[in-house]
Amino acid sequence: MQICKILNNNAAVVRDHVGQEKIVMGKGICFQKKAGAEIDSAVDFISFSYYNSRCIASPDSVQEEDEGNLFRSVKNPYLKFSGWGWPIDPMGLRITLNEVYNRYQKPLFVVENGLGALDEPDSSGRIMDDYRIDYLREHIRAMKAAVEEDGVDLMGYTAWGCLDLVSASSGEMKKRYGFIYVDKQDDGSGTLARSRKKSFGWYQKVIASNGEDLE
């Protein structure tokens, strides 16, 4: 949303992404413009989280719903799903990057992206989370394609998350996202001891190569 003209300290004319102008009242926010200063835009970049895509259908159609616990959605039969019923859709991230960038023409920043999964230590105590590596690898490739082939200005990416913690979407400890395993269970048991998962070393290599080494 772009500020076009400041009317007074409590009101301004703004233009939305489709070019429509309207007056916005400050509601406690004071609009001020210094003499000679140009107000080009309200933000310098746009950040967002991406975990999965969603599908919709007409109200009269009979469609199977997915099991994701954030929003109701029609199940996409062409995608794989996580253990919590979330569709895994790297192409959806590429499409989202293109849609948002084409609309706002601002640098983008993916601030959350990751896979919630049931991580269980093997007989040696290690977490061999190749499924998490696969998820992140394909999403990074999708971002790379959006930048190099589609011309999207993507300024950064941060995966969710660094270490295991209670999942905000389900309230479970067993739904783990981290590169570091935390010995804590849903019933409160556990020592809180931390250990590196296989994905820790993989992502360390990805960072060191600036996303070039994804194997």
Side-chain angles (χ1 to χ4, degrees), residues 107-142:
L108 306 181
F109 199 135
V110 180
V111 294
E112 285 186 35
N113 173 242
L115 176 68
L118 184 64
D119 296 333
E120 296 182 337
D122 61 17
S123 57
S124 64
R126 293 194 63 196
I127 302 291
M128 306 301 287
D129 56 338
D130 293 284
Y131 40 85
R132 179 167 293 108
I133 293 173
D134 290 342
Y135 176 97
L136 294 172
R137 178 190 292 119
E138 294 309 312
H139 283 76
I140 293 172
R141 284 175 174 166

Side-chain angles (χ1 to χ4, degrees), residues 21 35 37 61 81 83 122 144 156 174 188 192 199 209:
E21 295 185 359
S61 66
F81 290 79
D122 61 17
K144 187 177 179 68
K174 67 180 181 180
L192 291 177
S199 59
S209 66

Side-chain angles (χ1 to χ4, degrees), residues 44-59:
D44 297 319
F45 66 93
I46 298 172
S47 61
F48 64 93
S49 303
Y50 179 89
Y51 290 94
N52 55 265
S53 58
R54 289 190 290 157
C55 289
I56 60 174
S58 60

Side-chain angles (χ1 to χ4, degrees), residues 35-47:
E38 294 296 326
I39 300 177
D40 176 59
S41 179
V43 297
D44 297 319
F45 66 93
I46 298 172
S47 61

Side-chain angles (χ1 to χ4, degrees), residues 133 137 140-141 144 202 205-206 209 211-215:
I133 293 173
R137 178 190 292 119
I140 293 172
R141 284 175 174 166
K144 187 177 179 68
W202 176 83
K205 183 177 62 175
V206 171
S209 66
E212 292 300 322
D213 188 354
L214 298 176
E215 298 306 321

